[in-house]
Amino acid sequence: MDIILIILAVICLITGIIGCALPILPGPPLSWVGLLLLKFTDKYSDRISLTWIIIWAVIVLIITVLDYLIPIWGTKKMGGTKAGVWGATLGMIAGLFFPPWGIIAGPFVGALIGEMMFGKNQKQSFKAAFGSFLGFLTSMGIKLLVCGLIAGHFIIIVLSGFR
Protein backbone atom coordinates (compact mmCIF):
# COMPACT_ATOMS: atom_id res chain seq x y z
CA MET A 1 0.00 0.00 0.00
CA ASP A 2 2.92 2.34 0.73
CA ILE A 3 4.12 2.26 -2.85
CA ILE A 4 0.69 3.28 -4.15
CA LEU A 5 0.52 6.18 -1.70
CA ILE A 6 4.03 7.29 -2.62
CA ILE A 7 3.25 7.16 -6.35
CA LEU A 8 0.04 9.15 -5.79
CA ALA A 9 1.99 11.62 -3.64
CA VAL A 10 4.60 12.15 -6.37
CA ILE A 11 1.84 12.64 -8.95
CA CYS A 12 0.24 15.24 -6.67
CA LEU A 13 3.56 17.04 -6.21
CA ILE A 14 4.27 17.16 -9.94
CA THR A 15 0.72 18.20 -10.77
CA GLY A 16 0.93 20.84 -8.05
CA ILE A 17 4.06 22.34 -9.55
CA ILE A 18 2.43 22.36 -13.00
CA GLY A 19 -0.65 23.91 -11.39
CA CYS A 20 1.40 26.93 -10.35
CA ALA A 21 1.43 28.04 -13.99
CA LEU A 22 -2.01 26.75 -14.96
CA PRO A 23 -4.73 28.67 -13.13
CA ILE A 24 -7.18 25.80 -13.60
CA LEU A 25 -5.14 23.50 -11.30
CA PRO A 26 -4.79 24.34 -7.60
CA GLY A 27 -0.99 24.00 -7.39
CA PRO A 28 -0.13 24.43 -3.70
CA PRO A 29 -3.13 22.42 -2.42
CA LEU A 30 -2.20 19.53 -4.71
CA SER A 31 1.40 19.61 -3.51
CA TRP A 32 0.18 19.66 0.08
CA VAL A 33 -2.00 16.59 -0.60
CA GLY A 34 1.17 14.85 -1.82
CA LEU A 35 2.84 15.59 1.50
CA LEU A 36 -0.27 14.46 3.37
CA LEU A 37 -0.31 11.16 1.48
CA LEU A 38 3.27 10.56 2.59
CA LYS A 39 2.10 10.97 6.20
CA PHE A 40 -0.27 8.01 5.71
CA THR A 41 2.48 5.59 4.66
CA ASP A 42 3.79 3.10 7.19
CA LYS A 43 7.42 3.80 6.32
CA TYR A 44 7.37 7.61 6.49
CA SER A 45 4.53 8.48 8.87
CA ASP A 46 6.89 8.88 11.81
CA ARG A 47 9.26 11.08 9.77
CA ILE A 48 6.69 13.84 9.22
CA SER A 49 4.84 15.30 12.15
CA LEU A 50 1.23 16.36 12.27
CA THR A 51 2.51 19.81 13.23
CA TRP A 52 4.32 20.12 9.88
CA ILE A 53 1.21 18.98 8.02
CA ILE A 54 -0.81 21.69 9.79
CA ILE A 55 1.84 24.37 9.23
CA TRP A 56 1.94 23.57 5.50
CA ALA A 57 -1.87 23.55 5.39
CA VAL A 58 -1.98 27.07 6.85
CA ILE A 59 0.72 28.29 4.43
CA VAL A 60 -1.12 26.74 1.48
CA LEU A 61 -4.41 28.31 2.58
CA ILE A 62 -2.80 31.75 2.82
CA ILE A 63 -1.10 31.36 -0.57
CA THR A 64 -4.36 30.22 -2.17
CA VAL A 65 -6.15 33.32 -0.92
CA LEU A 66 -3.26 35.58 -1.95
CA ASP A 67 -3.30 34.00 -5.41
CA TYR A 68 -6.61 35.75 -6.04
CA LEU A 69 -5.71 39.00 -4.31
CA ILE A 70 -2.22 39.76 -5.65
CA PRO A 71 -3.23 40.32 -9.31
CA ILE A 72 -6.09 42.55 -8.13
CA TRP A 73 -3.71 44.54 -5.93
CA GLY A 74 -1.25 44.82 -8.82
CA THR A 75 -3.95 46.17 -11.12
CA LYS A 76 -5.25 48.64 -8.53
CA LYS A 77 -1.75 49.75 -7.52
CA MET A 78 -1.06 50.73 -11.11
CA GLY A 79 -4.29 52.72 -11.40
CA GLY A 80 -6.64 50.01 -12.61
CA THR A 81 -10.38 49.95 -12.02
CA LYS A 82 -12.89 47.16 -11.54
CA ALA A 83 -13.13 46.95 -15.33
CA GLY A 84 -9.42 46.15 -15.47
CA VAL A 85 -9.71 43.55 -12.74
CA TRP A 86 -12.65 41.89 -14.49
CA GLY A 87 -10.84 42.09 -17.80
CA ALA A 88 -7.76 40.45 -16.29
CA THR A 89 -9.89 37.67 -14.84
CA LEU A 90 -11.69 37.03 -18.11
CA GLY A 91 -8.38 37.25 -19.97
CA MET A 92 -6.89 34.63 -17.67
CA ILE A 93 -9.82 32.30 -18.35
CA ALA A 94 -9.63 32.89 -22.12
CA GLY A 95 -5.87 32.36 -21.99
CA LEU A 96 -6.39 28.81 -20.75
CA PHE A 97 -7.46 27.89 -24.27
CA PHE A 98 -4.15 29.10 -25.73
CA PRO A 99 -1.39 27.62 -23.57
CA PRO A 100 1.31 28.50 -22.71
CA TRP A 101 1.36 32.09 -23.99
CA GLY A 102 -2.35 32.68 -23.52
CA ILE A 103 -2.02 31.95 -19.83
CA ILE A 104 0.70 34.57 -19.51
CA ALA A 105 -0.72 37.20 -21.88
CA GLY A 106 -4.42 36.66 -21.10
CA PRO A 107 -4.56 38.70 -17.87
CA PHE A 108 -2.55 41.52 -19.45
CA VAL A 109 -4.67 41.71 -22.60
CA GLY A 110 -7.90 41.34 -20.62
CA ALA A 111 -7.00 44.18 -18.24
CA LEU A 112 -5.93 46.35 -21.18
CA ILE A 113 -9.20 45.78 -23.04
CA GLY A 114 -11.27 46.17 -19.86
CA GLU A 115 -9.69 49.52 -19.03
CA MET A 116 -9.93 50.82 -22.60
CA MET A 117 -13.58 49.80 -22.95
CA PHE A 118 -14.51 51.81 -19.88
CA GLY A 119 -12.88 55.10 -20.77
CA LYS A 120 -9.23 54.95 -19.79
CA ASN A 121 -6.74 56.24 -22.31
CA GLN A 122 -4.16 53.94 -23.83
CA LYS A 123 -1.33 54.92 -21.45
CA GLN A 124 -3.48 54.47 -18.32
CA SER A 125 -4.86 51.18 -19.66
CA PHE A 126 -1.39 49.87 -20.42
CA LYS A 127 -0.17 50.80 -16.92
CA ALA A 128 -3.10 48.98 -15.27
CA ALA A 129 -2.59 45.96 -17.53
CA PHE A 130 1.09 45.89 -16.62
CA GLY A 131 0.10 45.90 -12.94
CA SER A 132 -2.14 42.92 -13.56
CA PHE A 133 0.67 41.13 -15.36
CA LEU A 134 3.13 41.82 -12.52
CA GLY A 135 0.56 40.62 -10.01
CA PHE A 136 0.04 37.42 -11.99
CA LEU A 137 3.79 36.76 -12.21
CA THR A 138 4.30 37.53 -8.51
CA SER A 139 1.49 35.19 -7.55
CA MET A 140 2.84 32.44 -9.78
CA GLY A 141 6.33 32.89 -8.33
CA ILE A 142 5.08 32.62 -4.77
CA LYS A 143 3.11 29.48 -5.62
CA LEU A 144 6.17 27.94 -7.29
CA LEU A 145 8.26 28.75 -4.23
CA VAL A 146 5.77 27.12 -1.86
CA CYS A 147 5.36 24.03 -4.07
CA GLY A 148 9.14 23.78 -4.41
CA LEU A 149 9.55 23.94 -0.64
CA ILE A 150 6.88 21.27 -0.15
CA ALA A 151 8.58 19.08 -2.76
CA GLY A 152 11.92 19.66 -1.03
CA HIS A 153 10.43 18.68 2.31
CA PHE A 154 8.98 15.56 0.66
CA ILE A 155 12.36 14.62 -0.85
CA ILE A 156 14.19 15.12 2.45
CA ILE A 157 11.67 12.87 4.22
CA VAL A 158 11.96 10.13 1.58
CA LEU A 159 15.76 10.30 1.45
CA SER A 160 15.95 10.14 5.26
CA GLY A 161 14.25 6.75 5.02
CA PHE A 162 17.25 5.29 3.18
CA ARG A 163 19.66 5.58 6.12
Side-chain angles (χ1 to χ4, degrees):
M1 185 66 167
D2 276 5
I3 194 74
I4 293 170
L5 288 174
I6 292 169
I7 290 170
L8 287 173
V10 169
I11 290 170
C12 284
L13 285 171
I14 292 169
T15 306
I17 291 169
I18 292 169
C20 292
L22 296 175
I24 199 159
L25 293 174
L30 282 172
S31 290
W32 178 81
V33 167
L35 198 59
L36 182 65
L37 288 172
L38 193 63
K39 175 70 177 161
F40 290 121
T41 63
D42 292 331
K43 184 172 184 175
Y44 299 109
S45 65
D46 62 334
R47 298 187 190 279
I48 183 167
S49 70
L50 184 59
T51 303
W52 271 111
I53 294 293
I54 293 169
I55 289 169
W56 278 119
V58 170
I59 292 169
V60 164
L61 180 65
I62 291 168
I63 294 304
T64 302
V65 170
L66 286 176
D67 184 36
Y68 292 100
L69 297 178
I70 290 173
I72 293 169
W73 288 338
T75 303
K76 288 184 177 185
K77 190 75 172 165
M78 299 293 258
T81 63
K82 286 185 181 182
V85 172
W86 276 102
T89 303
L90 293 174
M92 186 182 338
I93 293 167
L96 293 174
F97 297 103
F98 305 100
W101 300 111
I103 295 166
I104 296 168
F108 177 84
V109 172
L112 182 68
I113 292 170
E115 292 293 342
M116 290 181 85
M117 283 178 61
F118 288 91
K120 292 269 185 157
N121 66 37
Q122 189 174 5
K123 185 177 179 181
Q124 292 170 322
S125 297
F126 185 80
K127 186 177 176 184
F130 187 68
S132 171
F133 180 69
L134 284 178
F136 172 75
L137 288 181
T138 301
S139 179
M140 186 170 67
I142 292 170
K143 290 188 300 184
L144 279 169
L145 176 67
V146 168
C147 287
L149 290 171
I150 290 173
H153 193 163
F154 182 93
I155 291 167
I156 289 169
I157 292 166
V158 171
L159 290 179
S160 71
F162 289 116
R163 287 192 239 166

